[in-house]
Amino acid sequence: MDSQYKPTLNLPDTEFPMRGNLSQREPEMLARWEEMGLYQKIRNARAGRDKFVLHDGPPYANGNIHIGHAVNKILKDVIIKSRTLSGFDAPYVPGWDCHGLPIELKVEELVGKAGQKVTASEFRKHCREYALKQVDGQRKDFKRLMVLGDWEKPYLTMDFKTEADIIRTLGKIIDKGHLHKGFKPVNWCPDCASALAEAEVEYQDKKSIAIDVKFPFANSAALLAAFGVQNDSLADKPVSIVIWTTTPWTLPSNEAVSVHPTLEYSLVLLKEQGEMLVLADALVQDAMKRYGIGADGFEVLANARGEVFGQLPGQEEAPFVVHHPFMPATDAHTKTVPVITGEHVTADSGTGAVHTAPMHGVDDYNVSAIYGVRSAEMLVDGNGNFISNPALDALELSGLSTADKGNFKVLGLLAEKGALLKKANITHSYPHCWRHKSPIIFRATPQWFISMNQAGLLEQAMHEVQNTVEWRPGWGKARIEGMMNDRPDWCISRQRTWGVPIALFVHKDSSELHPRSAELIEQVALKVEEKGIDAWFDLEAVELLGDEAADYVKVTDTLDVWFDSGVTHTAVCKAREELTFPADMYLEGSDQHRGWFQSSLLTSVAAYGHAPYKTVLTHGFTVDGQGRKMSKSLGNTVEPQKVLNSLGGDILRWWVADTDYSGEMTVSDEILKRNADAYRRVRNTCRFLLANINGFNPVTDLVAGEDLLPLDAWMVDYTRQLQDKVKAFYLDYDFKGLTKTLMNFCVSELGGFYLDVIKDRQYTCKRDGLPRRSAQTALFHVLEAMARWIAPVLSFTAEEIWDNLPGEREESVFLAEWYEAFPTLAVTGFDDAYWQNILQVKEAVNGELEKARVNKSIGASLEAEVVLYAEPEQQAALAKLGNELRFVLMTSAATVQPFDAEAGQASELKGLRVGVLPTTHDKCERCWHHSADVGLNAQHPTLCGRCVENVEGDGEVRHYA
RNA sequence: AGGUCUGUAGCUCAGGUGGUUAGAGCGCACGCCUGAUAAGCGUGAGGUCGGCAGUUCAAGUCUGCCCAGACCUACCA
């Protein structure tokens, strides 16, 4: 039942709704921002200011955005918005990575392979259209996250100008001497007759023939000596090292046998056969069983580590060579190959000695490169058949398929030569072409590389990593260092259709680059700027080379897409006026230490000698509630679109800010629910603030700093000091520090204390009297500050508050800077320490009130009267508030007495005892305080004295609170 | 298998250089209020600080090993 005096109260009132209804209202706000051209207005407002450039790492233009994309974009947006609030000109140019295999595969599904149903040129056109469509889809979602940026003019790696600049940057890197041509084994499908990318390979079980093959040592006497065996009766017996392989067809290409330098090898005598074998010590038992030799059929003569008989890095020549079982050398004997050492060798299976064919295995290739072991010729053609050459012709291998006949022929040769120790069928996981489902082979092909060492690139890049770049968190440095230290040369060529061409001419005989390559590249770039990458593929060599054209071949390889995105420091940061090079920051997930951070660094150092970024900030990956990675197959993904359509963007953003992004970021329904709870608290606090400055016009009603009541002055001062912390959190990219601090402010000092205390004054005092205007002034300052504090994170809500704030202001909170219009306050002796003490006293009193409540002697705190028995210092402090102490404690009466160990109850606070009594006075109908003067006024028999004063008189006077 | 990282109450996080009964907010339970009301206030219960050893008078904090998880790389001859 409403009191007749209710209309005389100043109750809170606001249009600002309690519930955000974010999923519906955020899109409306976005439309408004777009309509007013907010991004451009911010640019204009910050023109001429210091720049802060966060360069966007381009997501791949394929598929819907997932939660990881959302995290990345939101973090970037929070940083950019906070820097903008700090007064920086912080442009954000989002980008997309548009070339490459995944798009080709999608387009293949739609129109077929390039060169089959459609021409390469048409295929590229389809790729371009497809990529554009993907960009549109992702852009819509990114904008929905309320990420502010130049969405009208993003950068695309497939923009003609960008494609041209990618080629130019390649030219620059060639100019500095970092390019070299080499070979590399790649996944090769004999049915496609082409190379396969990693993504086109799938693993299936395959039946293979596994064989143990003997490679006899050329100098067995020396080998025995190396094993420390001196026994003349053995001297004339053959010694072989045994390899195990599941790809017999690669044996013709064998160029070495690898052993592990620190693994123990045994010299085993086969008694019956009268020959010796070298095998890994740990595998002797297994091998003998496999060969059908019983325990008494062999004897281990000696052991030696691999480094004793294998060639070590740095050694000019191999200490031992072995005879290839069947490949002929120039003379009558079979050719010999070196025994080398390699870290890739294990004693897990086989024999501990690895058949090494550099043309057919990555490890083989890498280890061979260390010793300069090279195959003279690739013996297998693109269809997986042995080529024809004198040696293969003689062995009758030419033309046979490595998949069957060729393989069997090799087995036959081995058996014929007596080199085959054992043949067995095994089933193992083996790479297959995902299209043909046929087993693939490894086949070395000519490729282009950016060399880590030929022009000192690795060294320079490492210098940048260690000395000029700031890594956040600090372990990012160790991570990228480790990754760079063991990285091979960067193979930048791909045999693909949808990619930026390696726009080079090489001599048809020598394979040397054209001497005027730098100049030619610029000419090509100009054409690509006009017509895109097709300009190169359509180009006739004569156009640029004239008469020389006959001697040169146009390279048709495309660039690794990591090169595209890696050189956006040039194609975007350098090319766009609003950006800077180097950029202030790159910010991506921790997978990019291998990816974009590295490709950007290497290309920038290669081209310009320095890093493209000053700071690299890394975030972790999202995992589910159990800490497991998100995957569609596990069904534990959290889709950002779903969150946006249910809880809303501000809640997703709050979650990003509230989570420690330096490690794994956990998301689950419960976590999002908790974040929605936190959001509601912040929102409601702001709503209550707005509701209480109802009717407040800052132009006419703002109370000067020196006139504020001490409690209000404290609130203003507290807020001002909190702002320093807020700024520091943003500067330090510590967003969880920010959200936690903000939350505590809303719950403790502000929500739990100040707002609760001033309600009485707000509601009951005269509408335009000083007591109320003083509090409103404080609330106004808090709101001005807080709207800005939350804007980088709760972008929608901040703007919504901004709309509800009185006074002249910018069109959007994002055009504003941090609030600095805090008033100068009077020095009153009521400082922060004073009020913090009061807060503790209040807590102690609450403890006692709760006991009375449990006894049912009181309900609301206004039904109580308290007496505080305090030590002198505390007594003096409390007495300073005089009669207004009761307002702070929210009791109907509060008096202070000297400490008396007998009186009241001991409270939580030492030196303070508290007496709680249920009030005996009548309750004022209007202010709900119980007071002796209720009913003294005949006109208003249900009111207390101060309410009479507030209703009829000039209004009560407040001195402190 | 290797490199980098993570593991503190149900949830999200604080806990410089080792030192009293390990903190906060949320959530939860109970209570109050009904003039912030799909709100607000109060009180309270929750932790062998991933595990095991060790160094030390003293370890969440240092060392080693192990377990679980994340990212990256390699391997499956």
Side-chain angles (χ1 to χ4, degrees), chain A residues 252-310:
Chain A
S253 302
N254 176 283
E255 297 292 346
V257 173
S258 301
V259 295
H260 195 281
T262 59
L263 201 61
E264 285 289 323
Y265 288 84
S266 298
L267 180 66
V268 181
L269 173 68
L270 304 188
K271 292 177 186 166
E272 198 174 317
Q273 293 77 356
E275 60 175 315
M276 289 166 282
L277 304 178
V278 173
L279 299 157
D281 178 48
L283 294 163
V284 169
Q285 299 300 329
D286 283 355
M288 290 305 133
K289 195 177 286 178
R290 190 158 72 235
Y291 308 151
I293 297 172
D296 48 2
F298 70 93
E299 179 191 351
V300 174
L301 299 173
N303 275 0
R305 278 145 73 102
E307 61 200 358
V308 172
F309 56 95

Coordinates of all heavy atoms in Angstrom, one line a residue, chain A residues 252-310:
Chain A
P252 N 66.7 -48.6 -55.6 CA 67.6 -48.1 -56.6 C 68.1 -46.7 -56.4 O 69.1 -46.3 -56.9 CB 66.6 -48.2 -57.9 CG 65.7 -49.3 -57.6 CD 65.4 -49.2 -56.1
S253 N 67.3 -45.9 -55.6 CA 67.7 -44.6 -55.3 C 68.5 -44.4 -54.1 O 68.7 -43.3 -53.6 CB 66.4 -43.7 -55.3 OG 65.7 -43.8 -56.5
N254 N 68.8 -45.6 -53.5 CA 69.6 -45.5 -52.2 C 70.9 -44.8 -52.4 O 71.6 -45.0 -53.4 CB 69.8 -46.9 -51.7 CG 70.7 -46.8 -50.4 OD1 71.9 -46.7 -50.5 ND2 70.0 -47.0 -49.2
E255 N 71.2 -43.9 -51.5 CA 72.5 -43.2 -51.6 C 73.3 -43.2 -50.3 O 74.4 -42.7 -50.2 CB 72.2 -41.7 -51.9 CG 71.6 -41.4 -53.3 CD 72.5 -41.8 -54.5 OE1 73.7 -42.0 -54.3 OE2 71.9 -42.0 -55.6
A256 N 72.7 -43.8 -49.3 CA 73.4 -43.9 -48.0 C 72.7 -44.9 -47.1 O 71.5 -45.2 -47.3 CB 73.5 -42.5 -47.4
V257 N 73.4 -45.3 -46.0 CA 72.8 -46.0 -44.9 C 73.0 -45.2 -43.7 O 74.1 -44.7 -43.4 CB 73.3 -47.4 -44.7 CG1 72.8 -48.1 -43.5 CG2 73.0 -48.3 -46.0
S258 N 71.9 -44.9 -42.9 CA 72.0 -44.0 -41.8 C 72.0 -44.8 -40.5 O 71.2 -45.7 -40.3 CB 70.9 -43.0 -41.7 OG 70.9 -42.2 -42.9
V259 N 72.8 -44.4 -39.5 CA 72.8 -45.0 -38.2 C 72.7 -43.9 -37.2 O 73.1 -42.7 -37.5 CB 74.0 -45.9 -37.9 CG1 74.1 -47.1 -38.8 CG2 75.3 -45.1 -38.0
H260 N 72.3 -44.2 -36.0 CA 72.3 -43.1 -35.0 C 73.6 -43.0 -34.3 O 74.2 -44.0 -33.9 CB 71.1 -43.4 -33.9 CG 70.8 -42.2 -33.1 ND1 71.6 -41.8 -32.1 CD2 69.8 -41.3 -33.2 CE1 71.1 -40.7 -31.5 NE2 70.0 -40.3 -32.2
P261 N 74.1 -41.8 -34.1 CA 75.5 -41.6 -33.6 C 75.7 -42.2 -32.2 O 76.7 -42.8 -31.9 CB 75.7 -40.1 -33.5 CG 74.3 -39.5 -33.7 CD 73.5 -40.5 -34.5
T262 N 74.6 -42.2 -31.3 CA 74.9 -42.6 -30.0 C 74.2 -43.9 -29.6 O 74.2 -44.4 -28.5 CB 74.4 -41.5 -28.9 OG1 73.0 -41.3 -29.2 CG2 75.2 -40.2 -29.1
L263 N 73.6 -44.5 -30.6 CA 72.9 -45.8 -30.4 C 74.0 -46.9 -30.4 O 75.0 -46.9 -31.2 CB 71.9 -46.0 -31.5 CG 70.8 -47.0 -31.3 CD1 69.9 -46.6 -30.1 CD2 69.9 -47.1 -32.6
E264 N 73.8 -48.0 -29.6 CA 74.7 -49.1 -29.6 C 74.4 -50.1 -30.7 O 73.2 -50.5 -30.9 CB 74.6 -49.9 -28.3 CG 75.3 -49.2 -27.1 CD 76.8 -49.2 -27.2 OE1 77.4 -50.2 -27.6 OE2 77.4 -48.2 -26.8
Y265 N 75.4 -50.5 -31.5 CA 75.2 -51.5 -32.5 C 76.0 -52.7 -32.2 O 77.1 -52.6 -31.6 CB 75.7 -50.9 -33.9 CG 74.7 -49.8 -34.4 CD1 74.8 -48.5 -33.9 CD2 73.7 -50.2 -35.2 CE1 73.9 -47.6 -34.4 CE2 72.8 -49.2 -35.7 CZ 72.9 -47.9 -35.2 OH 71.9 -47.0 -35.6
S266 N 75.5 -53.8 -32.6 CA 76.2 -55.1 -32.4 C 76.8 -55.7 -33.7 O 76.1 -55.6 -34.7 CB 75.2 -56.1 -31.8 OG 74.8 -55.7 -30.6
L267 N 77.9 -56.3 -33.5 CA 78.5 -57.0 -34.6 C 78.1 -58.5 -34.3 O 78.5 -59.1 -33.3 CB 80.0 -56.9 -34.7 CG 80.7 -57.6 -35.8 CD1 80.4 -57.1 -37.2 CD2 82.2 -57.5 -35.6
V268 N 77.3 -59.1 -35.2 CA 76.7 -60.4 -34.9 C 77.3 -61.4 -35.9 O 77.2 -61.2 -37.1 CB 75.2 -60.4 -35.0 CG1 74.6 -61.7 -34.7 CG2 74.6 -59.3 -34.1
L269 N 77.8 -62.5 -35.4 CA 78.3 -63.6 -36.2 C 77.1 -64.6 -36.4 O 76.6 -65.1 -35.4 CB 79.5 -64.3 -35.6 CG 80.0 -65.5 -36.3 CD1 80.5 -65.2 -37.7 CD2 81.0 -66.3 -35.4
L270 N 76.8 -64.9 -37.7 CA 75.9 -66.0 -37.9 C 76.7 -67.2 -38.1 O 77.4 -67.4 -39.1 CB 75.0 -65.7 -39.2 CG 74.2 -64.4 -39.2 CD1 73.3 -64.3 -40.4 CD2 73.5 -64.2 -37.9
K271 N 76.6 -68.1 -37.2 CA 77.6 -69.2 -37.1 C 77.4 -70.1 -38.4 O 78.4 -70.4 -39.1 CB 77.3 -70.1 -35.9 CG 77.7 -69.3 -34.6 CD 77.4 -70.1 -33.4 CE 77.7 -69.4 -32.1 NZ 77.1 -70.0 -30.9
E272 N 76.2 -70.5 -38.7 CA 76.0 -71.4 -39.8 C 76.3 -70.8 -41.1 O 77.0 -71.4 -42.0 CB 74.5 -71.9 -39.8 CG 74.3 -73.1 -40.6 CD 72.8 -73.6 -40.4 OE1 72.3 -73.5 -39.2 OE2 72.2 -73.9 -41.4
Q273 N 75.9 -69.5 -41.3 CA 76.1 -68.9 -42.6 C 77.5 -68.4 -42.8 O 78.0 -68.1 -43.9 CB 75.2 -67.7 -42.7 CG 73.7 -68.0 -42.8 CD 73.1 -68.4 -41.4 OE1 73.8 -68.4 -40.4 NE2 71.8 -68.7 -41.4
G274 N 78.2 -68.2 -41.7 CA 79.6 -67.8 -41.8 C 79.7 -66.3 -42.2 O 80.6 -66.0 -43.0
E275 N 78.8 -65.5 -41.8 CA 78.9 -64.1 -42.2 C 78.5 -63.3 -41.0 O 78.0 -63.8 -40.0 CB 78.0 -63.8 -43.4 CG 76.5 -64.1 -43.1 CD 75.7 -63.6 -44.3 OE1 75.9 -62.5 -44.7 OE2 74.8 -64.4 -44.7
M276 N 78.8 -62.0 -41.0 CA 78.5 -61.1 -39.9 C 77.5 -60.0 -40.3 O 77.5 -59.5 -41.5 CB 79.8 -60.5 -39.4 CG 80.7 -61.5 -38.7 SD 82.3 -60.9 -38.4 CE 83.0 -61.1 -40.0
L277 N 76.7 -59.6 -39.3 CA 75.8 -58.5 -39.6 C 76.0 -57.4 -38.5 O 76.4 -57.7 -37.4 CB 74.3 -59.0 -39.5 CG 73.9 -60.2 -40.3 CD1 72.5 -60.6 -40.1 CD2 74.1 -59.8 -41.8
V278 N 75.7 -56.2 -38.9 CA 75.7 -55.1 -38.0 C 74.2 -54.6 -37.8 O 73.5 -54.3 -38.8 CB 76.5 -53.9 -38.5 CG1 76.4 -52.7 -37.6 CG2 78.0 -54.3 -38.6
L279 N 73.8 -54.6 -36.6 CA 72.4 -54.3 -36.2 C 72.4 -53.5 -34.9 O 73.3 -53.6 -34.1 CB 71.6 -55.5 -35.9 CG 71.4 -56.6 -37.0 CD1 71.1 -57.9 -36.3 CD2 70.2 -56.2 -37.9
A280 N 71.3 -52.8 -34.7 CA 71.2 -52.1 -33.4 C 71.1 -53.1 -32.3 O 70.4 -54.1 -32.4 CB 69.9 -51.2 -33.4
D281 N 71.9 -52.9 -31.3 CA 72.0 -53.9 -30.2 C 70.6 -54.2 -29.6 O 70.3 -55.4 -29.4 CB 72.8 -53.3 -29.1 CG 72.9 -54.2 -27.8 OD1 73.2 -55.4 -28.0 OD2 72.7 -53.7 -26.7
A282 N 69.8 -53.2 -29.5 CA 68.4 -53.4 -28.9 C 67.5 -54.2 -29.8 O 66.5 -54.7 -29.3 CB 67.8 -52.0 -28.6
L283 N 67.9 -54.4 -31.1 CA 67.0 -55.1 -32.0 C 67.5 -56.4 -32.4 O 66.9 -57.1 -33.3 CB 66.7 -54.2 -33.2 CG 65.9 -52.9 -32.9 CD1 66.1 -51.9 -34.0 CD2 64.5 -53.2 -32.6
V284 N 68.6 -56.8 -31.9 CA 69.3 -58.1 -32.3 C 68.3 -59.3 -32.1 O 68.1 -60.1 -33.0 CB 70.6 -58.3 -31.6 CG1 71.1 -59.8 -31.8 CG2 71.6 -57.3 -32.1
Q285 N 67.7 -59.4 -30.9 CA 66.9 -60.5 -30.6 C 65.7 -60.6 -31.6 O 65.4 -61.7 -32.2 CB 66.4 -60.4 -29.2 CG 67.4 -60.4 -28.1 CD 68.3 -61.7 -28.1 OE1 67.8 -62.8 -28.5 NE2 69.5 -61.5 -27.7
D286 N 65.0 -59.5 -31.8 CA 63.9 -59.4 -32.7 C 64.3 -59.8 -34.1 O 63.6 -60.6 -34.7 CB 63.3 -58.0 -32.8 CG 62.5 -57.6 -31.5 OD1 62.3 -58.6 -30.7 OD2 62.1 -56.5 -31.4
A287 N 65.4 -59.3 -34.5 CA 65.8 -59.5 -35.9 C 66.2 -61.0 -36.1 O 65.8 -61.6 -37.1 CB 67.0 -58.7 -36.3
M288 N 66.9 -61.6 -35.2 CA 67.3 -63.0 -35.3 C 66.0 -63.9 -35.3 O 66.0 -64.9 -36.1 CB 68.2 -63.4 -34.1 CG 69.6 -62.8 -34.1 SD 70.4 -63.1 -35.7 CE 71.0 -61.5 -36.1
K289 N 65.1 -63.6 -34.5 CA 63.8 -64.3 -34.5 C 63.2 -64.2 -35.9 O 62.7 -65.2 -36.5 CB 62.9 -63.8 -33.4 CG 61.7 -64.7 -33.1 CD 60.9 -64.1 -32.0 CE 61.5 -64.2 -30.6 NZ 60.7 -63.6 -29.5
R290 N 63.2 -63.0 -36.4 CA 62.6 -62.8 -37.7 C 63.3 -63.6 -38.8 O 62.7 -64.1 -39.7 CB 62.7 -61.3 -38.0 CG 61.9 -60.8 -39.2 CD 61.6 -59.3 -39.2 NE 62.7 -58.4 -39.4 CZ 63.1 -57.5 -38.5 NH1 62.4 -57.3 -37.4 NH2 64.2 -56.7 -38.8
Y291 N 64.6 -63.7 -38.7 CA 65.4 -64.4 -39.7 C 65.4 -65.9 -39.5 O 66.0 -66.7 -40.2 CB 66.8 -63.9 -39.7 CG 67.0 -62.4 -39.9 CD1 68.1 -61.8 -39.3 CD2 66.0 -61.6 -40.5 CE1 68.3 -60.4 -39.4 CE2 66.2 -60.3 -40.6 CZ 67.3 -59.6 -40.0 OH 67.4 -58.3 -40.1
G292 N 64.7 -66.3 -38.4 CA 64.6 -67.7 -38.1 C 65.9 -68.3 -37.6 O 66.2 -69.5 -37.8
I293 N 66.7 -67.5 -36.9 CA 68.0 -68.0 -36.3 C 67.9 -68.2 -34.8 O 67.6 -67.2 -34.1 CB 69.2 -67.0 -36.7 CG1 69.3 -67.0 -38.2 CG2 70.5 -67.5 -36.0 CD1 70.3 -65.9 -38.7
G294 N 68.1 -69.3 -34.4 CA 67.9 -69.6 -32.9 C 69.1 -69.0 -32.1 O 70.1 -68.6 -32.6
A295 N 68.8 -69.1 -30.8 CA 69.8 -68.5 -29.9 C 71.2 -69.0 -30.0 O 72.2 -68.3 -29.8 CB 69.3 -68.6 -28.4
D296 N 71.3 -70.3 -30.4 CA 72.6 -70.8 -30.6 C 73.2 -70.7 -32.0 O 74.3 -71.2 -32.3 CB 72.7 -72.3 -30.2 CG 71.5 -73.1 -30.8 OD1 70.8 -72.5 -31.6 OD2 71.4 -74.3 -30.5
G297 N 72.4 -70.0 -32.8 CA 72.8 -69.9 -34.2 C 73.6 -68.6 -34.4 O 74.1 -68.4 -35.5
F298 N 73.7 -67.7 -33.4 CA 74.4 -66.5 -33.6 C 75.2 -66.1 -32.4 O 74.9 -66.7 -31.3 CB 73.5 -65.4 -34.0 CG 72.6 -64.9 -32.9 CD1 73.0 -63.8 -32.1 CD2 71.4 -65.5 -32.7 CE1 72.1 -63.4 -31.1 CE2 70.5 -65.1 -31.7 CZ 70.9 -64.0 -30.8
E299 N 76.1 -65.2 -32.5 CA 76.9 -64.7 -31.4 C 77.2 -63.3 -31.6 O 77.6 -62.8 -32.7 CB 78.2 -65.5 -31.4 CG 79.1 -65.1 -30.2 CD 80.5 -65.7 -30.4 OE1 80.7 -66.6 -31.2 OE2 81.4 -65.3 -29.6
V300 N 77.0 -62.5 -30.5 CA 77.3 -61.1 -30.6 C 78.8 -61.0 -30.3 O 79.2 -61.3 -29.2 CB 76.5 -60.3 -29.6 CG1 77.0 -58.8 -29.6 CG2 75.0 -60.3 -30.0
L301 N 79.5 -60.5 -31.3 CA 81.0 -60.4 -31.1 C 81.4 -59.2 -30.4 O 82.4 -59.2 -29.6 CB 81.7 -60.5 -32.5 CG 81.4 -61.7 -33.3 CD1 82.0 -61.6 -34.7 CD2 82.0 -63.0 -32.6
A302 N 80.8 -58.1 -30.7 CA 81.2 -56.8 -30.1 C 80.1 -55.7 -30.3 O 79.2 -55.9 -31.1 CB 82.5 -56.3 -30.7
N303 N 80.2 -54.7 -29.5 CA 79.3 -53.5 -29.6 C 80.1 -52.3 -29.9 O 81.2 -52.1 -29.5 CB 78.5 -53.3 -28.3 CG 77.3 -54.3 -28.3 OD1 77.0 -55.0 -29.3 ND2 76.5 -54.2 -27.2
A304 N 79.4 -51.4 -30.6 CA 80.0 -50.0 -30.9 C 78.9 -49.1 -31.1 O 77.9 -49.4 -31.7 CB 81.0 -50.1 -32.1
R305 N 79.2 -47.8 -30.8 CA 78.2 -46.8 -31.1 C 78.3 -46.4 -32.5 O 79.3 -46.5 -33.2 CB 78.5 -45.6 -30.2 CG 77.9 -45.7 -28.8 CD 78.7 -45.1 -27.7 NE 78.6 -43.6 -27.8 CZ 77.8 -42.9 -26.9 NH1 77.1 -43.5 -26.0 NH2 77.8 -41.6 -27.0
G306 N 77.1 -45.9 -33.0 CA 77.1 -45.6 -34.4 C 78.1 -44.6 -34.9 O 78.6 -44.7 -36.0
E307 N 78.5 -43.7 -34.0 CA 79.5 -42.7 -34.4 C 80.9 -43.3 -34.6 O 81.7 -42.6 -35.3 CB 79.6 -41.6 -33.3 CG 80.1 -42.2 -31.9 CD 79.7 -41.3 -30.8 OE1 79.2 -40.2 -31.0 OE2 80.0 -41.7 -29.6
V308 N 81.1 -44.5 -34.2 CA 82.4 -45.2 -34.4 C 82.5 -45.5 -35.9 O 83.7 -45.4 -36.4 CB 82.5 -46.5 -33.6 CG1 83.7 -47.3 -33.9 CG2 82.5 -46.1 -32.1
F309 N 81.5 -45.9 -36.5 CA 81.6 -46.3 -37.9 C 80.8 -45.5 -38.9 O 80.9 -45.7 -40.1 CB 81.3 -47.8 -38.1 CG 80.0 -48.2 -37.6 CD1 78.9 -48.3 -38.5 CD2 79.7 -48.5 -36.3 CE1 77.6 -48.6 -38.0 CE2 78.5 -48.9 -35.8 CZ 77.4 -48.9 -36.7
G310 N 80.0 -44.6 -38.4 CA 79.2 -43.7 -39.3 C 79.8 -42.4 -39.4 O 80.4 -41.9 -38.5

